[in-house]
Amino acid sequence: MSDYLWFEGIPFPSVNEEERIEEIRNVFVIRDEDTVILTYPKSGTNWLIEIVCLIQSKGDPTWIQSVPIWERSLWIESKRGYQKLISKEGPRLINSHLPFHFFPKSFFSSKAKIIYVIRNPRDVLVSGYFFWSKTTLVKIPESLTTYFEWFIKGNVAFGSWFEHTRAWLSMRKRDNFLLLSYEDIKKDTKSTIKKICDFLGKKLEPDELDMVLKYSSFQAMKENKMSNLSLIRKVVAPNGLVLLRKGMTGDWKNYFTVAQAEAFDKVFQEKMAGFPPGLFPWE
Ligand code: A3P
């Protein structure tokens, strides 16, 4: 078990390094042709990566079934991903959980496209509790009650969900920013795939679209060892990781007490005040 790397008040998983975080923010150059998938952890990041990869391959599963997901879309904040991104030519698929003010400054004057996925933070909390507890990257809570308290305070990986989301949503009216929610993707995956295609300027034939849908399903991803994180290094997760846990909306209701649900509602109302009704499909 390890602790977080605390940097400028944000707890990062312990594999992060201050120097790299600074370099990413100040030196890394985002290019106009890049596509970025940006999320707060446990919001459906890997699902989106799978969908975008399948859109790129026009539904052909060869790529997603032969190359690990972290090699297809490179994590900017990981050492390996960062080094590969620097030397990679052509359009890059980039992944990140970085809070807004840590993201490369070069992005804000670029035409690079960014897809930001949000999810009911209550489900994010439950998903995160089960996921992070299996890794050696963070401080392990003794119970869900403890993790609940840390989450509300923002003392979990990549900091406060509320701050992460508020800050990134300030970009939502830009042409190069696509806002999606886990809930909407689940409700109508096909329409979401079409929306992503429009945003990325890609066109799929109906049968190609069906293949994207088929190979990005929960079951298909769960069975794909290149996507389900079963190939993750033992040093990160000695007993293995389950990424595809339940894949449902509203699972928090199976875990929160009535008091926790009420406390969470109150915090949500306070911290997310000012956003238009309807922006958060789960509320
Ligand atoms: P649960 O833990 O609630 O099951 P991330 O990729 O950001 O780490 O998010 C992981 C969450 O997304 C997990 O939620 C996982 O089950 C869900 N997920 C991943 N792929 C999915 C898919 N194809 N369909 C539905 N949910 C998916």
Side-chain angles (χ1 to χ4, degrees):
M1 173 178 147
S2 64
D3 203 339
Y4 294 104
L5 164 79
W6 285 84
F7 186 54
E8 294 185 9
I10 301 284
F12 288 92
S14 56
V15 282
N16 289 273
E17 289 162 10
E18 290 180 16
E19 299 73 27
R20 194 168 61 247
I21 296 173
E22 273 296 17
E23 199 174 308
I24 291 168
R25 173 160 58 184
N26 295 314
V27 182
F28 185 79
V29 180
I30 295 271
R31 306 182 198 133
D32 286 347
E33 65 271 27
D34 291 337
T35 300
V36 182
I37 294 170
L38 206 308
T39 56
Y40 186 86
K42 312 319 294 172
S43 302
T45 327
N46 290 278
W47 193 7
L48 239 291
I49 298 172
E50 201 79 330
I51 290 174
V52 171
C53 289
L54 282 162
I55 290 174
Q56 282 193 12
S57 68
K58 293 191 169 280
D60 181 339
T62 312
W63 190 33
I64 64 151
Q65 291 174 350
S66 56
V67 180
I69 194 158
W70 56 83
E71 298 283 347
R72 288 182 257 128
S73 182
L74 296 160
W75 285 98
I76 196 170
E77 56 264 31
S78 84
K79 188 174 182 178
R80 216 176 126 82
Y82 182 63
Q83 279 163 356
K84 286 197 164 195
L85 280 170
I86 292 173
S87 54
K88 194 168 164 61
E89 288 174 11
R92 299 170 297 185
L93 188 52
I94 304 175
N95 239 19
S96 180
H97 289 319
L98 285 174
F100 188 71
H101 60 288
F102 283 100
F103 204 65
K105 289 181 178 156
S106 57
F107 168 72
F108 299 96
S109 56
S110 83
K111 295 194 183 93
K113 291 180 176 168
I114 194 157
I115 304 177
Y116 188 64
V117 189
I118 54 173
R119 184 184 190 187
N120 186 336
R122 300 162 184 87
D123 285 331
V124 166
L125 189 161
V126 170
S127 179
Y129 171 69
F130 288 107
F131 183 83
W132 293 115
S133 298
K134 296 265 183 195
T135 74
T136 54
L137 305 173
V138 298
K139 190 171 168 186
I140 306 293
E142 64 198 16
S143 64
L144 182 63
T145 305
T146 307
Y147 191 75
F148 182 94
E149 283 159 17
W150 292 356
F151 189 94
I152 295 276
K153 290 186 190 138
N155 292 345
V156 291
F158 296 94
S160 158
W161 179 92
F162 305 97
E163 281 165 30
H164 199 283
T165 308
R166 281 199 79 88
W168 277 109
L169 285 184
S170 68
M171 300 275 296
R172 70 189 188 280
K173 298 207 172 119
R174 290 220 192 169
D175 290 342
N176 62 341
F177 188 92
L178 178 65
L179 174 64
L180 298 176
S181 73
Y182 181 92
E183 288 71 17
D184 285 345
I185 309 173
K186 233 188 127 67
K187 200 160 87 190
D188 191 346
T189 317
K190 203 167 193 172
S191 298
T192 309
I193 297 171
K194 284 187 195 155
K195 212 187 224 184
I196 299 170
C197 284
D198 286 346
F199 179 68
L200 298 177
K202 306 272 184 198
K203 175 109 189 66
L204 292 181
E205 297 302 326
D207 59 323
E208 294 169 343
L209 187 67
D210 286 342
M211 297 283 266
V212 176
L213 199 56
K214 175 177 167 188
Y215 289 109
S216 64
S217 73
F218 184 84
Q219 205 47 40
M221 280 186 70
K222 199 171 172 66
E223 286 163 14
N224 181 0
K225 68 178 192 305
M226 294 296 159
S227 308
N228 61 17
L229 303 193
S230 59
L231 297 179
I232 207 97
R233 289 178 303 142
K234 281 265 178 271
V235 60
V236 171
N239 300 313
L241 266 185
V242 177
L243 173 73
L244 287 289
R245 192 184 58 95
K246 287 194 184 171
M248 58 185 275
T249 55
D251 188 35
W252 65 272
K253 291 177 193 151
N254 296 318
Y255 295 95
F256 282 22
T257 63
V258 173
Q260 283 174 330
E262 285 172 6
F264 202 104
D265 281 354
K266 197 160 168 280
V267 174
F268 189 93
Q269 299 308 330
E270 275 168 25
K271 302 240 185 206
M272 303 312 280
F275 284 107
L279 194 62
F280 305 115
W282 57 81
E283 283 302 305

